[in-house]
Amino acid sequence: GMPQETPTHKVKLRYKERTVGLKRYYSALQNNVEIKKLIRCQRVNSVSTQDIAVLDNGEQYAITQIQYPEDFQPAVMDLTLVEVAQKYDIT
């Protein structure tokens, strides 16, 4: 009788993969988090760390951090991604 999580499609964005820096990578490892990807995309204020990012190849990642770099037009955001333990069927 427990409700099941069923994520729904929120927004589709173009993105560019970025290099995960050593400082960011090792800082995350100290907190037992292994960063898998870092992507930059158009800024959308409705995206949160409660969301799941699904990349072009269908891989799913949890968003652990959102950063808003300044001095970019149009405005962008950097999403730090980690693997999800459970793959979701996104509707």
Side-chain angles (χ1 to χ4, degrees):
M2 292 290 292
Q4 295 218 338
E5 291 183 2
T6 54
T8 58
H9 183 267
K10 192 174 200 177
V11 64
K12 184 173 184 168
L13 300 170
R14 295 186 318 161
Y15 66 91
K16 178 175 170 90
E17 284 192 41
R18 298 182 46 84
T19 301
V20 178
L22 288 176
K23 184 175 181 181
R24 180 188 305 255
Y25 181 77
Y26 286 113
S27 293
L29 280 181
Q30 289 176 345
N31 293 315
N32 295 325
V33 175
E34 185 177 356
I35 297 173
K36 289 295 184 180
K37 296 207 183 276
L38 177 65
I39 61 172
R40 177 168 285 172
C41 55
Q42 175 186 348
R43 183 174 180 163
V44 176
N45 291 330
S46 64
V47 173
S48 77
T49 55
Q50 301 298 311
D51 295 330
I52 300 294
V54 182
L55 302 186
D56 291 338
N57 58 6
E59 293 177 355
Q60 297 179 8
Y61 296 93
I63 301 171
T64 59
Q65 184 181 42
I66 302 173
Q67 293 179 303
Y68 303 104
E70 297 179 8
D71 301 328
F72 281 93
Q73 288 299 326
V76 296
M77 60 184 175
D78 289 341
L79 305 178
T80 303
L81 308 176
V82 298
E83 284 189 41
V84 292
Q86 174 188 358
K87 304 293 183 197
Y88 295 97
D89 182 26
I90 309 235
T91 58

